[in-house]
Amino acid sequence: MERVPQEAGAAEAQQARRAVAGKARRMVIGGGVLVVVALLAYWLGTSGGNGEGAAPRASATPTPSATLTVPDVFKRVGPSVVVIQAGKSLGTGVIAADDGTILTAHHVVKGTKDVNLTFADGTKAKAVVASSNPELDVATLKPAKLPEIVVPATLGGAVAVGAPVVAIGNPLGLTYSVSTGVVSGLNRSADRSTEEGDLSGLIQFDASVNPGSSGGPLLDTRGLVIGIVVSIADPGGDEAFAGIAFAVPIGVALGGTEGDGPPGDGPEI
């Protein structure tokens, strides 16, 4: 029987140990690479890098898409609001189109051709009445001069009882005043002179307005013009705000249909 020399056996054993050690090293290195790859993938997936190329992830609590704070509403719509001085009458208007056309209340400019505007940036201009609808108490004005940057408001929006609203206007000459409240009722009516006839289909709201506010925008929390302020309820006969105000719905102001509703006496403001 042939015997294997001891030296050869020792050499083979040493070679086997080296092979096992090399394999172990390769496994450690391979495992380290996998850990690095996994960490890199996690880092990129959680935008730990610069975010470029990272896939968007859904939010657990979606943010409301359009609701604004009152300061944000004013910041958005304030540049669209205009101070109107028509003879002895003070009122408010809102830029309603890119060409600078201004929407206001008819009674603010009624009976005078001397209409003066002051825009939010301080620009002053004369204006002429482009159209008027006494039955709906709305009118449009065409300025002779426009500010360097014209910022028209966005018109339109749904109205619901209890919904929050914002009014911007010039009550008692306090220009660019902001007040807040809610829609108190819909399809209200307000008495006027026999010659003009009563207003109907109005939005009732409780944001504070006073003489000088007429023609100003009534806004929802998205900054959309939902109405044009026209009058207040005045049980004391002193033209002071009593918590009830009225606005012509913007759809009506733009030529839509009227509605009917219970009475709500009040002077034009």
Side-chain angles (χ1 to χ4, degrees):
M1 183 174 62
E2 184 179 12
R3 294 180 59 189
V4 178
Q6 188 175 2
E7 292 79 3
E12 290 177 356
Q14 186 176 6
Q15 185 176 1
R17 285 197 296 271
R18 287 176 180 173
V20 171
K23 184 177 181 181
R25 284 196 297 272
R26 288 195 296 273
M27 290 177 66
V28 171
I29 294 171
V33 171
L34 289 175
V35 171
V36 171
V37 171
L39 289 174
L40 181 60
Y42 175 80
W43 178 64
L44 291 174
T46 55
S47 298
N50 60 11
E52 294 180 0
R57 296 185 301 162
S59 171
T61 54
T63 304
S65 59
T67 300
L68 304 174
T69 64
V70 175
D72 286 339
V73 170
F74 178 72
K75 183 177 180 181
R76 175 174 293 186
V77 187
S80 307
V81 177
V82 182
V83 181
I84 300 175
Q85 187 72 53
K88 295 181 179 181
S89 177
L90 175 68
T92 307
V94 59
I95 301 174
D98 291 335
D99 64 359
T101 297
I102 294 167
L103 189 59
T104 187
H106 163 74
H107 71 263
V108 170
V109 296
K110 177 180 65 176
T112 181
K113 293 182 179 180
D114 184 22
V115 180
N116 296 279
L117 311 175
T118 303
F119 292 92
D121 68 348
T123 299
K124 297 183 182 296
K126 294 282 188 179
V128 295
V129 178
S131 66
S132 64
N133 189 328
E135 289 75 24
L136 300 178
D137 199 8
V138 292
T140 60
L141 308 178
K142 191 72 173 177
K145 177 184 176 182
L146 294 175
E148 185 175 348
I149 299 176
V150 177
V151 184
T154 303
L155 310 181
V159 184
V161 174
V165 290
V166 178
I168 304 177
N170 309 302
L172 306 177
L174 299 172
T175 57
Y176 295 93
S177 293
V178 178
S179 60
T180 62
V182 299
V183 175
S184 304
L186 300 174
N187 293 324
R188 303 303 200 199
S189 296
D191 292 344
R192 296 191 299 174
S193 66
T194 304
E195 178 184 347
E196 295 174 320
D198 296 346
L199 285 173
S200 60
L202 302 176
I203 301 169
Q204 177 192 339
F205 63 96
D206 68 351
S208 177
V209 292
N210 277 286
S213 297
S214 272
L218 184 67
L219 307 154
D220 66 11
T221 53
R222 296 174 295 170
L224 303 179
V225 180
I226 60 172
I228 299 297
V229 177
V230 291
S231 67
I232 57 175
D234 185 24
D238 53 2
E239 295 190 359
F241 183 65
I244 299 176
F246 303 102
V248 177
I250 192 63
V252 174
L254 297 175
T257 58
E258 296 180 78
D260 296 312
D265 285 355
E268 298 167 338
I269 55 172

